[in-house]
Amino acid sequence: MNKQDLINLLEPYGQEHLLKYWEELNQTEKEHLIEDIKEIDFAQMVKNYNRVKSEMDQTVQEFDELMQPVPQELKGSYEKSTPEQIKEYEMLGLKAIANNEVASLLLAGGQGTRLGVNYPKGMYSVGLFSGKSLYHLQGERLVKLKQYANRLFPEAPSEKQNSSIPWYIMTSEHTQESTIEYFRKSNFFGLDKENIKFFEQFMLPCLTNDGKVILDQKSKISKAPDGNGGLYRALDKRSILNDMKKRGVKYVHVYCVDNILVKMADPAFVGFCIAKNANCAAKVVKKVEPDEKVGVICKVKDRFQVVEYSEISEKTRNLRTDDGELLYNAGNICNHFFNIDFLSELCSEHESELKHHVAHKKIAYVNENGERVTPKETNGIKLEKFVFDVFPFSTSKWAKGNFAIWEVYREEEFSPLKNSDDCKKETPTTCRNDLYAQHARWLQKAGAVLDPEAQVEISPLVSTNGEELTELMKGKALKGNLTIELDKSDNKVKINGSLSL
Ligand code: UTP
């Protein structure tokens, strides 16, 4: 491609400024810029921009008049289920896990800007006694969960028993290489590496507020991942759905990298969804207060969707049911279930119907003097799709089954790492403390006696959801800082720290 070809390509879309420094570039830089330009579908980009532009100009829509809570029959919760019901859901989920019908799908393509580290968030260690990273905890949880499911369902075919839970990991240009390298160095946390599949989401150019593509350097276009809803395009275009089908996967559990308490391939959630014949479902936690800035899941006209905090008036946010709970209380925590037929049809036929959202960001750019500048204020937009944007499709004619939500206890299942310790909420410290507190509760339930000051970390290889602790820990008195680990040399559980009896 020569300069004139590039002008011909860019001019119809008003993007010829991308060639502003062309004469200053050497041959390699020119080739680099051409590659970047060729990757962009300008017609689609302009269409996407025009669509979000008209929405940017509108004031925020409030959904108050159109909203209804998710109907009771599509809702389940720990709080309102009997122990027998929960057991039943868990067993359904564990059976599907033993048969390798459940895949775990990790969204790990984000840039983690608020945390502010220059490597993938999953590699971050929040400072647990063991020093384990988020990826490490997740990997070991999958190892133990499969062993547990196999023990409960020994009749599952041996080839299914012998392979680990399929783990699909969506990365992006920023996180792909270092994530794979980290997994390799960590020996895939003891999982079967054939059952771990990394795939990259796509990138979109960053734009100025008036729709011009931003140059990050004179020969490089500024790009960002297309949002966690980029999942659906990547699943199709990277042939991941085919891979799932080949392996006999029927259900997919999708989760975010940064929730330190995430229950991997959560058997209770998966079992609940199977029992409810869900095509698509979301795990939710109760809002802590009406003004908590979290999206809530509800019905808008005939379709389910997440309504953001800013889209509901204060009055509606404060509405309560007869038993005193907030009416709109289903806080979305980005933890989802899909059955494979729904996902398949959605990705192949309806992905393009998912709209982009606008994120206003500070985007580094080349200024008038040709220098790269990192702005202090927001200066441009990134276009993103969100993973939950598919909920409305669950009631489409083509979608067999229905939508469902499963409410869990926040302290047991949700503690995300978003910020550095300079902030108060969702930091390494809050994650660490939430995990220690959870493990203390598990031990107390198992009959151990804990000194109020004790902090305990239980390896996921010993117990992943609080299971199988009673025999090990009943009657033990614990104090100080402790770890409960599996010694791989003899496969025995070791307690490191103080036992006061
Ligand atoms: P967040 O929206 O919290 O973004 O992502 P982030 O990248 O982790 O952090 P900030 O906003 O830059 O500080 C929620 C989940 O969605 C994934 C993230 O990796 C995280 O698991 N995600 C986000 C993607 O997989 N791709 C994206 O393009 C964006």
Side-chain angles (χ1 to χ4, degrees):
M1 257 185 168
N2 60 29
K3 188 175 178 192
Q4 192 52 52
D5 295 332
L6 289 167
I7 294 173
N8 294 345
L9 173 68
L10 297 170
E11 239 173 17
Y13 306 105
Q15 304 292 340
E16 57 284 9
H17 64 282
L18 294 175
L19 303 176
K20 183 165 173 196
Y21 302 101
W22 184 257
E23 310 308 338
E24 295 175 33
L25 305 181
N26 64 32
Q27 194 49 36
T28 317
E29 289 167 333
K30 282 183 178 160
E31 278 163 20
H32 188 270
L33 183 59
I34 293 172
E35 275 315 301
D36 268 9
I37 290 175
K38 281 203 314 206
E39 269 176 25
I40 300 176
D41 178 344
F42 285 97
Q44 187 63 44
M45 184 194 85
V46 170
K47 217 157 110 188
N48 294 342
Y49 173 76
N50 287 337
R51 193 145 80 159
V52 297
K53 171 87 178 58
S54 55
E55 280 163 28
M56 268 156 63
D57 295 341
Q58 284 163 16
T59 50
V60 177
Q61 185 188 358
E62 283 187 350
F63 283 95
D64 297 50
E65 299 303 316
L66 309 170
M67 284 168 69
Q68 285 174 309
V70 174
Q72 281 305 323
E73 65 273 18
L74 301 181
K75 203 176 155 186
S77 71
Y78 273 97
E79 197 178 270
K80 301 214 169 107
S81 302
T82 60
E84 294 72 34
Q85 262 171 331
I86 291 177
K87 188 98 203 141
E88 204 178 295
Y89 295 147
E90 277 173 359
M91 289 302 135
L92 262 178
L94 286 162
K95 187 171 181 194
I97 288 168
N99 282 305
N100 262 10
E101 292 170 356
V102 183
S104 182
L105 197 157
L106 165 59
L107 303 171
Q111 292 173 290
T113 39
R114 283 168 288 172
L115 184 63
V117 291
N118 60 0
Y119 53 84
K121 213 193 256 186
M123 286 165 56
Y124 192 86
S125 154
V126 300
L128 296 173
F129 300 133
S130 65
K132 284 174 190 172
S133 66
L134 296 167
Y135 284 151
H136 196 147
L137 294 170
Q138 293 165 19
E140 288 192 343
R141 285 173 191 162
L142 283 179
V143 171
K144 179 65 176 30
L145 180 60
K146 190 65 197 306
Q147 291 167 351
Y148 184 54
N150 284 350
R151 260 206 299 284
L152 289 173
F153 293 94
E155 65 279 12
S158 60
E159 76 279 6
K160 303 280 182 189
Q161 299 242 354
N162 293 337
S163 61
S164 50
I165 296 170
W167 194 9
Y168 293 91
I169 300 174
M170 184 172 84
T171 60
S172 63
E173 204 172 280
H174 302 283
T175 59
Q176 166 97 342
E177 245 175 67
S178 28
T179 294
I180 295 178
E181 187 51 28
Y182 181 75
F183 270 66
R184 206 178 286 129
K185 275 202 194 131
S186 314
N187 208 11
F188 300 92
F189 313 110
L191 292 157
D192 180 0
K193 76 170 196 257
E194 300 308 313
N195 278 0
I196 304 183
K197 249 191 134 47
F198 302 91
F199 64 103
E200 227 180 288
Q201 68 179 104
F202 292 88
M203 305 286 281
L204 288 174
C206 300
L207 305 175
T208 60
N209 291 328
D210 50 3
K212 303 279 183 207
V213 174
I214 296 178
L215 276 178
D216 178 73
Q217 292 163 30
K218 291 178 183 175
S219 62
K220 187 169 175 249
I221 284 176
S222 176
K223 286 179 285 182
D226 57 356
N228 57 21
L231 170 69
Y232 306 105
R233 180 158 179 235
L235 281 177
D236 184 42
K237 299 276 181 276
R238 309 283 192 211
S239 297
I240 297 299
L241 278 164
N242 288 342
D243 187 88
M244 289 177 173
K245 286 181 202 158
K246 247 192 279 161
R247 288 171 199 266
V249 168
K250 292 189 184 163
Y251 315 107
V252 183
H253 178 236
V254 175
Y255 70 101
C256 290
V257 71
D258 49 21
N259 177 12
I260 196 164
L261 299 183
V262 66
K263 282 192 179 181
M264 299 294 291
D266 180 4
F269 180 37
V270 169
F272 165 78
C273 293
I274 296 173
K276 288 282 174 192
N277 192 26
N279 47 31
C280 158
K283 197 184 266 197
V284 298
V285 294
K286 280 184 189 171
K287 283 178 69 164
V288 275
E289 50 173 9
D291 285 337
E292 187 187 9
K293 290 193 172 60
V294 62
V296 291
I297 300 177
C298 52
K299 205 169 178 188
V300 175
K301 295 185 193 153
D302 287 332
R303 308 181 100 194
F304 297 98
Q305 70 173 72
V306 173
V307 173
E308 298 295 352
Y309 171 86
S310 56
E311 294 169 332
I312 317 177
S313 73
E314 196 187 337
K315 184 167 163 248
T316 304
R317 278 202 295 271
N318 280 282
L319 291 176
R320 293 196 182 257
T321 60
D322 292 342
D323 49 10
E325 286 210 346
L326 291 175
L327 182 63
Y328 296 105
N329 209 13
N332 181 37
I333 57 169
C334 195
N335 190 312
H336 308 305
F337 165 96
F338 297 105
N339 84 25
I340 194 85
D341 294 337
F342 176 80
L343 212 48
S344 228
E345 176 80 11
L346 182 108
C347 294
S348 59
E349 304 298 327
H350 304 279
E351 193 282 329
S352 61
E353 296 165 41
L354 299 173
K355 284 195 212 154
H356 286 96
H357 303 259
V358 174
H360 295 271
K361 300 271 176 178
K362 296 171 199 159
I363 301 165
Y365 65 101
V366 184
N367 72 8
E368 284 306 300
N369 306 323
E371 296 149 354
R372 186 171 188 271
V373 182
T374 308
K376 292 206 169 50
E377 303 298 327
T378 55
N379 61 325
I381 56 172
K382 293 180 180 178
L383 297 186
E384 296 181 330
K385 292 189 176 180
F386 294 157
V387 72
F388 56 71
D389 285 338
V390 301
F391 294 174
F393 291 88
S394 63
T395 48
S396 300
K397 279 210 183 78
W398 56 264
K400 295 191 196 83
N402 47 263
F403 186 70
I405 56 174
W406 176 238
E407 185 190 282
V408 300
Y409 295 116
R410 185 185 289 243
E411 66 275 17
E412 281 298 315
E413 303 216 21
F414 186 55
S415 175
L417 176 65
K418 297 289 182 195
N419 305 304
S420 72
D421 269 325
D422 297 336
C423 298
K424 286 211 169 67
K425 278 174 62 184
E426 306 184 336
T427 66
T429 300
T430 58
C431 285
R432 205 168 54 238
N433 290 340
D434 287 345
L435 184 122
Y436 291 155
Q438 179 191 54
H439 290 189
R441 285 193 300 275
W442 289 357
L443 289 171
Q444 278 158 341
K445 204 165 157 211
V449 183
L450 261 81
D451 181 87
E453 303 283 296
Q455 289 199 311
V456 196
E457 179 187 351
I458 304 172
S459 162
L461 297 175
V462 175
S463 179
T464 179
N465 291 327
E467 77 288 356
E468 298 183 316
L469 288 173
T470 308
E471 205 180 305
L472 288 168
M473 302 308 300
K474 194 165 180 191
K476 291 215 164 60
L478 309 169
K479 64 177 184 183
N481 297 340
L482 300 114
T483 58
I484 300 175
E485 282 167 14
L486 190 73
D487 187 334
K488 288 189 189 143
S489 63
D490 58 6
N491 231 14
K492 292 218 166 86
V493 174
K494 301 266 169 355
I495 304 174
N496 304 311
S498 303
L499 287 172
S500 58
L501 284 182

